[in-house]
């Protein structure tokens, strides 16, 4: 067993965090993680007093989790196997206080970019939900009212708990795990709330945090929670009065600011008046907010009116629903929509249908006044539908009052609206019987107890996994001291950058800076080509920012000649790739119609071939047309950015730097620069900017045509040839009219000099043959 950590918790935790941030060896990290688990778990790892455990969870647990999150990009985390991460790293989040772990996980997911670390955090959060840590969080706040937390911390925990689907969706869309979707998560939350209500039925508990969870969930649009909670509450309250008390207490503890959302969601979910009465009790009488919602906003729901009619104390609320002033108000009838008047009329008829004889007698005068004034206001309207509403309502009220002398009868053509109004007066069974069958499970499945199967034929695991995210690759190249991880990042960089252009554009300049300064410290295979390919991928994916950076750094201080030559090569290769047409990879899969068994039709195919050959031999073709279709037009990606590649390379060539003298001793860089500039102009053929590029290049190379170094003079020839081949002829004569004759004379002398040089060079190599 591990040795128990020292008694001073603060010093021990500080030493562990220091090791997590500075250690390189995986064994040292594993040892520290085991020590930290001693403060969270009982067992053979160590015997820690309860006071020290409490101090660790209260004051140091969050700091430890933050240090673990920062270690996601460290080499030791990438070297750990999946089993080691699950056993030591993941358990830190799954064994401590669940509220702190949930906050750290969600904050880390929100702050992380797409990477292996983000992927692992999501897996840990999924395990957090699957192993019942949400239930532990809610139950811990139900056992005692005062947990010692500040109101601000309580609000933050409540917000993260309820908003988990939204928080994860904002970060992980569209690849959102199923457990984080609103419907599964709300279903899980509803089952947990019901389970806690079951456990709390036999002991004292505090339901305020549970009620706040319901309220905030409904207020944020997660009324799906009642889809799994309401059937359970309805079934358990059917036989157990204690359940009814717990449900009523739960609703009474909902804050007023969320009461409307909870009551509305519950009423819309529970369609049985009896079940609604058992769950809500007399909340409508005790809470003014709930009463207002029931009597003014949801008056059309038949189950709600049935809920009010089932209890003698709640029946007076039916009168409030009936006394709606808009029915006999001529101004309201004139200025309110027809749909709203239908709504009010249906609610009136529903309430009227639920009143008994005694209540009708008490309300006789009010109903008679409604009959006289309300119907007359409707009949005075010039809208046919409003007049028909008044006729139907007047007939129904007069029939309910049962006054033969004042019974009304109108002549109108029945339609769908009138039939809906008459349906509100159908007989209602005040004592319906509902049989609700529900299955209540809270079963957590775990594979922790499964015995691993021995696989002797397994190959040795790769020391460092290939990165699958751009930011992981960048992090490995910047901070890693592991040769295997650096090599893996370098090999995967180019493909990752090309496959993820959006992320590449976010980090293109930073990634280019890292690659330009990267050194081959670990003797990586094909290091130079991999580095060039990565920089080319960056330049092609995000041309303008990368070229601005490279062309600026070409003339900067503290760069060696190798780095400057690399810049020129990357610019040339990138321009060449951008100038090429975009080609799609051909599909090697043959069409389904062509995949046939050749042996089955061998005779038929042979016969057709013979006939076709005979016809072809006897036929004379004047023209067969093009052998293949002309290539389709493709946009030139280099033309819009050609100036970004070319002009910045000409701005500081005559300024000698401390470590760089282009026109002095650094002839090799000058010759490579000339060849690169010539290639950039040649690739810009047919681009609108090629005329300006050609003119600028001629001005630059004209002073170098008699340079002492042979490679520089050849570079000048390359540039001149590129200008004459790329610029349109009319622009060439207009822009370079004065230089054409001088260039022609110089070229003629250059050709003669080159012939003499070639003969002299041949004499030196093969003197006997030359003579």
């Amino acid at each position: 067993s591990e040795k128990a950590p020292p008694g001073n918790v603060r010093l021990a935790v500080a030493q562990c965090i220091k090791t997590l941030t500075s250690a390189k060896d995986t064994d040292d990290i594993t040892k520290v993680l085991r020590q930290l688990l001693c403060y969270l778990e009982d067992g053979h790892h160590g015997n820690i007093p309860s006071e020290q455990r409490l101090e660790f969870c209260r004051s140091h647990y969050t700091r430890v989790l933050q240090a673990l999150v920062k270690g996601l990009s460290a080499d030791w985390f990438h070297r750990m196997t999946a089993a080691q991460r699950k056993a030591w790293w993941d358990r830190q989040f799954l064994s401590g206080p669940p509220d702190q772990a949930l906050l750290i996980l969600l904050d880390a997911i929100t702050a992380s970019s797409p990477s292996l670390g983000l992927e692992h955090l999501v897996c840990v959060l999924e395990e957090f939900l699957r192993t019942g840590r949400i239930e532990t969080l809610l139950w811990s706040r139900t056992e005692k009212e005062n947990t010692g937390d500040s109101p601000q911390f309580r609000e933050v925990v409540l917000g993260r708990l309820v908003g988990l689907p939204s928080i994860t969706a904002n970060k992980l869309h569209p690849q959102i795990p199923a457990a984080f979707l609103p419907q599964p998560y709300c279903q899980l939350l509803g089952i947990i709330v019901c389970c806690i209500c079951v456990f709390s039925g036999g002991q004292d508990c505090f339901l305020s945090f549970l009620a706040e969870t319901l309220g905030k969930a409904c207020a944020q649009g997660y009324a799906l929670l009642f889809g799994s909670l309401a059937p359970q509450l309805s079934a358990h309250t059917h036989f157990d009065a204690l359940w009814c008390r717990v449900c009523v207490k739960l609703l009474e503890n909902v804050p007023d600011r969320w009461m409307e959302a909870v009551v509305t969601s519950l009423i819309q979910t529970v369609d049985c008046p009896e079940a609604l009465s058992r769950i809500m009790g007399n909340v409508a009488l005790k809470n003014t907010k709930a009463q207002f919602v029931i009597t003014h906003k949801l008056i059309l729901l038949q189950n709600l009116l049935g809920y009010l009619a089932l209890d003698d104390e709640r029946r007076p609320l039916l009168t409030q629903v009936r006394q709606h002033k808009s029915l006999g108000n001529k101004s309201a009838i004139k200025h309110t929509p027809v749909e709203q008047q239908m709504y009010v009329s249906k609610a009136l008829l529903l309430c009227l249908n639920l009143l008994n004889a005694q209540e009708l007698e008490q309300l006789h005068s009010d109903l008679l006044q409604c009959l006289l004034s309300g119907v007359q206001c409707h009949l005075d309207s010039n809208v046919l539908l409003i007049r028909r509403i008044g006729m139907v309502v007047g007939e129904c009220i007069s029939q309910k009052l049962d006054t033969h002398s004042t019974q009304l009868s109108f002549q109108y053509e029945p339609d769908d609206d009138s039939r809906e109004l008459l349906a509100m007066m159908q007989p209602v069974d005040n004592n319906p019987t509902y049989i609700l069958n529900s299955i209540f499970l809270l079963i957590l499945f775990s594979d922790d107890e499964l015995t691993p199967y021995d696989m002797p034929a397994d190959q040795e695991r790769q020391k460092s996994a290939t990165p699958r995210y751009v930011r992981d690759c960048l992090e490995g190249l910047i901070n890693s001291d592991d040769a295997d991880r650096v090599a893996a990042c370098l090999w995967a960089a180019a493909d990752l950058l090309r496959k993820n252009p959006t992320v590449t554009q976010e980090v293109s300049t930073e990634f280019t800076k890292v690659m330009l300064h990267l050194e081959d410290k670990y003797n990586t295979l094909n290091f130079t080509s991999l580095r060039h390919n990565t920089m080319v991928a960056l330049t092609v994916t995000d041309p303008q920012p990368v070229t601005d950076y490279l062309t600026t750094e070409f003339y900067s201080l503290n760069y060696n000649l190798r780095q400057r030559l690399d810049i020129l090569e990357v610019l040339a290769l990138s321009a060449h790739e951008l100038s090429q047409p975009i080609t799609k990879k051909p599909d090697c899969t043959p069409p389904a119609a062509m995949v046939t068994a050749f042996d089955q039709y061998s005779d038929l195919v042979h016969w057709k071939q013979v006939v076709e050959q005979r016809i072809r031999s006897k036929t004379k073709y004047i023209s067969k047309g093009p052998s293949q279709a002309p290539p389709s037009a493709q946009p030139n990606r280099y033309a819009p950015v050609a100036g970004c590649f070319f002009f910045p390379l000409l701005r500081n060539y005559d300024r000698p730097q401390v470590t760089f003298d282009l026109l002095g001793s650094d002839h090799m860089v000058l010759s490579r620069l000339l060849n690169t500039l010539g290639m950039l102009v040649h690739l810009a053929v047919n681009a609108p900017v090629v005329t300006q590029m050609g003119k600028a290049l001629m001005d630059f190379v004209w002073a170098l045509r008699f340079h002492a170094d042979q490679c520089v003079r050849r570079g000048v020839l390359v540039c001149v040839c590129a200008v004459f081949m790329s610029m349109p002829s009319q622009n060439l004569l207009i822009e370079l009219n004065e230089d054409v004759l001088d260039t022609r004379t110089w070229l003629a002398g250059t050709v003669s000099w080159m012939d003499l040089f070639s003969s002299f060079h041949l004499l030196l190599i093969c003197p006997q043959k030359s003579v």
Side-chain angles (χ1 to χ4, degrees):
S1 61
E2 291 288 340
K3 184 179 178 181
N8 194 326
V9 180
R10 183 178 62 83
L11 294 178
V13 172
Q15 183 62 35
C16 291
I17 294 177
K18 181 179 179 181
T19 304
L20 288 175
T21 55
S22 60
K24 306 295 183 181
D25 190 7
T26 307
D27 295 335
D28 295 339
I29 299 296
T30 303
K31 183 178 180 180
V32 169
L33 296 179
R34 288 177 180 175
Q35 291 179 356
L36 292 173
L37 282 176
C38 295
Y39 291 103
L40 301 175
E41 298 178 350
D42 295 327
H44 66 279
H45 295 296
N47 186 13
I48 305 298
S50 58
E51 296 81 7
Q52 294 186 17
R53 293 176 185 272
L54 183 61
E55 180 185 352
F56 175 82
C57 294
R58 183 180 61 249
S59 305
H60 306 290
Y61 182 61
T62 298
R63 292 172 51 211
V64 170
L65 296 187
Q66 291 173 346
L68 292 175
V69 170
K70 291 181 180 178
L72 286 172
S73 59
D75 291 338
W76 58 262
F77 181 81
H78 290 267
R79 286 196 295 264
M80 293 177 71
T81 63
Q84 289 176 331
R85 293 174 186 171
K86 184 176 182 180
W88 307 119
W89 199 93
D90 298 1
R91 280 167 59 188
Q92 306 288 337
F93 291 86
L94 304 177
S95 303
D99 48 1
Q100 299 181 46
L102 180 64
L103 295 184
I104 295 298
L105 282 174
L106 291 178
D107 290 345
I109 289 175
T110 303
S112 299
S113 302
S115 60
L116 178 63
L118 175 60
E119 185 177 329
H120 192 74
L121 288 170
V122 171
C123 294
V124 175
L125 184 57
E126 286 185 276
E127 189 71 10
F128 188 90
L129 300 183
R130 193 180 67 87
T131 54
R133 300 303 293 171
I134 296 293
E135 180 183 0
T136 306
L137 190 157
L138 292 175
W139 181 251
S140 65
R141 293 182 175 271
T142 306
E143 289 181 316
K144 50 185 178 179
E145 179 69 15
N146 186 10
T147 59
D149 298 332
S150 63
Q152 294 80 6
F153 183 78
R154 183 186 178 98
E155 286 294 327
V156 171
V157 172
L158 186 64
R160 297 292 196 279
L161 176 65
V162 175
L164 186 145
S166 300
I167 295 172
T168 53
N170 291 337
K171 190 64 182 180
L172 305 177
H173 181 77
Q175 298 176 351
I176 307 173
F180 302 160
L181 295 176
Q183 185 170 358
Y185 182 73
C186 290
Q187 183 178 2
L188 172 66
L189 207 59
I191 293 176
I192 292 174
V193 171
C194 186
C195 181
I196 294 177
C197 291
V198 172
F199 296 152
S200 62
Q203 57 181 325
D204 294 336
C205 61
F206 303 92
L207 300 176
S208 58
F209 189 81
L210 213 60
E212 291 174 2
T213 302
L214 288 178
K216 194 170 186 66
C218 295
Q220 292 189 357
Y222 296 125
L224 295 169
L225 184 146
F226 278 105
S228 59
L229 180 60
Q232 303 295 334
L233 298 180
S234 177
H236 288 286
T237 54
H238 190 71
F239 302 102
D240 193 347
L242 185 59
W243 261 90
C244 298
R245 180 184 175 187
V246 171
C247 293
V248 173
K249 282 291 184 181
L250 185 64
L251 294 179
E252 288 178 353
N253 280 278
V254 174
D256 287 342
R257 64 184 184 274
W258 296 325
M259 181 61 75
E260 178 179 349
V262 173
V263 171
T264 303
S265 303
L266 181 61
I267 292 174
Q268 291 176 346
T269 306
V270 181
D271 56 356
C272 173
E274 285 78 8
L276 194 61
S277 178
R278 296 194 304 268
I279 296 173
M280 291 186 62
N282 288 334
V283 174
L285 299 176
K286 299 178 181 179
N287 189 282
T288 56
K289 187 70 173 181
Q291 181 177 334
F292 175 79
V293 173
I294 290 173
T295 57
H296 288 77
K297 290 192 173 183
L298 302 175
I299 57 178
L300 186 56
L301 298 177
Q302 191 166 0
N303 63 332
L304 176 58
L305 297 177
Y307 155 75
L308 296 177
L310 282 176
D311 189 83
D312 293 338
E313 296 182 3
R314 297 193 297 264
R315 287 190 69 87
L317 296 180
L318 283 174
T319 306
Q320 296 184 20
V321 176
R322 186 207 60 77
Q323 292 175 345
H324 205 284
K325 305 302 182 183
S326 64
L327 188 67
N329 190 332
K330 182 177 294 186
S331 176
I333 294 174
K334 183 177 180 181
H335 295 94
T336 56
V338 178
E339 293 79 7
Q340 182 176 347
Q341 297 185 44
M342 279 289 295
Y343 180 90
V344 174
S345 301
K346 289 179 182 179
L348 172 64
L349 296 182
L350 273 174
C351 294
L352 190 65
N353 196 24
L354 291 172
L355 296 177
N356 53 34
Q358 183 180 358
E359 292 168 340
L360 287 173
E361 184 65 25
Q362 295 175 355
L363 298 174
H364 185 275
S365 60
D366 292 339
L367 291 174
L368 187 59
Q369 180 66 28
C370 176
L371 177 66
L372 296 176
S373 61
V375 173
Q376 185 61 42
C377 292
H378 281 76
L379 294 178
D380 291 342
S381 175
N382 57 358
V383 180
L384 178 60
L385 180 56
I386 296 179
R387 294 200 300 269
R388 187 178 291 124
I389 292 174
M391 296 176 189
V392 176
V393 173
E395 289 182 353
C396 294
I397 295 177
S398 63
Q399 292 175 7
K400 205 67 176 175
L401 292 178
D402 197 20
T403 55
H404 298 285
S405 59
T406 59
Q407 277 196 2
L408 300 178
S409 178
F410 298 96
Q411 294 182 354
Y412 57 87
E413 296 182 1
D415 60 353
D416 294 338
D417 295 325
S418 61
R419 295 188 188 95
E420 289 182 9
L421 290 172
L422 293 173
M424 302 295 105
M425 298 300 294
Q426 296 296 326
V428 178
D429 185 5
N430 291 327
N431 297 300
T433 302
Y434 294 89
I435 301 176
L436 299 177
N437 297 321
S438 62
I439 301 175
F440 178 67
L441 296 176
L442 189 56
I443 302 175
L444 298 176
F445 297 95
S446 177
D447 58 353
D448 294 340
E449 298 180 357
L450 297 178
T451 304
Y453 185 75
D454 185 19
M455 301 290 290
D458 282 355
Q459 297 180 356
E460 184 180 357
R461 180 181 177 269
Q462 185 180 357
K463 294 183 179 180
S464 183
T466 302
R468 290 179 290 157
Y469 298 94
V470 172
R471 295 185 184 275
D472 273 351
C473 187
L474 178 60
E475 186 71 24
L477 293 172
I478 294 176
N479 297 326
S480 179
D481 294 330
D482 187 355
D484 295 328
R485 186 182 177 193
V486 172
C489 294
L490 199 56
W491 279 92
D495 290 338
L496 281 177
L497 294 170
R498 293 179 185 272
K499 292 178 181 178
N500 302 277
T502 303
V503 182
T504 302
Q505 291 171 3
E506 296 176 0
V507 297
S508 58
T509 304
E510 181 183 1
F511 212 124
T512 306
K513 180 179 180 180
V514 172
M515 297 308 300
L516 185 60
H517 294 82
L518 190 64
E519 299 179 358
D520 189 10
K521 297 188 296 184
Y522 307 108
N523 195 20
T524 305
L525 182 64
N526 297 330
F527 174 83
T528 303
S529 61
L530 292 174
R531 180 165 161 267
H532 285 177
N533 292 339
T534 303
M535 297 175 70
V536 170
L538 287 163
T539 310
V540 171
T541 306
D542 197 13
Q544 187 165 353
V546 177
T547 54
D548 289 345
Y549 172 77
L550 290 177
T551 53
T552 302
E553 298 302 307
F554 179 74
Y555 289 106
S556 298
L557 297 175
N558 300 324
Y559 280 95
N560 55 40
L561 297 183
R562 178 67 264 176
Q563 289 174 311
R564 301 183 199 276
L565 294 177
D566 289 339
I567 291 176
L568 295 176
E569 184 173 355
V570 169
L571 291 174
L573 293 175
S574 303
H576 183 269
E577 182 175 342
L578 288 173
S579 65
Q580 299 301 311
I582 303 174
T583 57
K584 297 182 180 180
K585 295 182 178 180
D587 189 4
C588 299
T589 305
M594 298 179 62
V595 182
T596 57
F598 178 77
D599 296 337
Q600 184 177 358
Y601 305 102
S602 58
D603 296 338
L604 181 62
V605 174
H606 177 69
W607 173 79
K608 286 185 177 180
Q609 290 178 351
V610 172
V611 173
E612 289 178 357
Q613 290 177 359
R614 290 181 180 178
I615 294 175
R616 197 179 299 112
S617 63
K618 301 293 183 180
T619 305
K620 293 183 179 181
Y621 297 95
I622 299 176
S623 176
K624 295 184 179 180
S627 59
Q628 58 183 2
S632 58
Q634 297 289 341
N636 190 331
R637 295 178 294 165
Y638 174 65
V641 294
C644 299
F645 281 78
F646 179 82
F647 291 109
L649 291 176
L650 295 178
R651 57 188 169 195
N652 294 324
Y653 66 89
D654 56 347
R655 298 181 182 178
Q657 305 293 338
V658 176
T659 59
F660 181 49
D661 187 6
L662 188 64
L663 297 181
S665 58
D666 295 324
H667 299 164
M668 181 176 63
V669 181
L670 178 60
S671 64
R672 185 69 65 86
L673 174 63
L674 292 173
N675 283 276
T676 303
L677 292 173
M679 183 177 180
L680 295 177
V681 172
H682 178 64
L683 294 174
V685 62
N686 299 325
V689 75
V690 69
T691 300
Q692 302 176 15
M693 294 171 63
K695 185 177 180 181
L697 185 58
M698 287 297 294
D699 293 340
F700 171 59
V701 303
W702 193 244
L704 302 174
R705 63 188 188 278
F706 299 115
H707 198 276
D709 190 272
Q710 176 185 356
C711 295
V712 175
R713 295 197 299 271
R714 289 184 176 178
V716 173
L717 281 175
V718 170
C719 293
V720 172
C721 294
V723 170
F724 279 86
M725 293 175 62
S726 303
M727 285 183 61
S729 57
Q730 62 274 17
N731 294 348
L732 187 65
L733 295 176
I734 294 174
E735 299 293 340
L736 301 177
N737 186 23
E738 299 178 358
D739 299 332
V740 169
L741 295 178
D742 295 338
T743 304
R744 179 182 178 183
T745 305
W746 173 73
L747 285 175
T750 302
V751 170
S752 302
W753 174 80
M754 290 184 64
D755 291 339
L756 179 60
F757 174 79
S758 300
S759 301
F760 180 71
H761 182 66
L762 185 62
L763 180 62
L764 291 177
I765 298 177
C766 305
Q768 296 180 353
K769 184 176 180 181
S770 300
V771 173

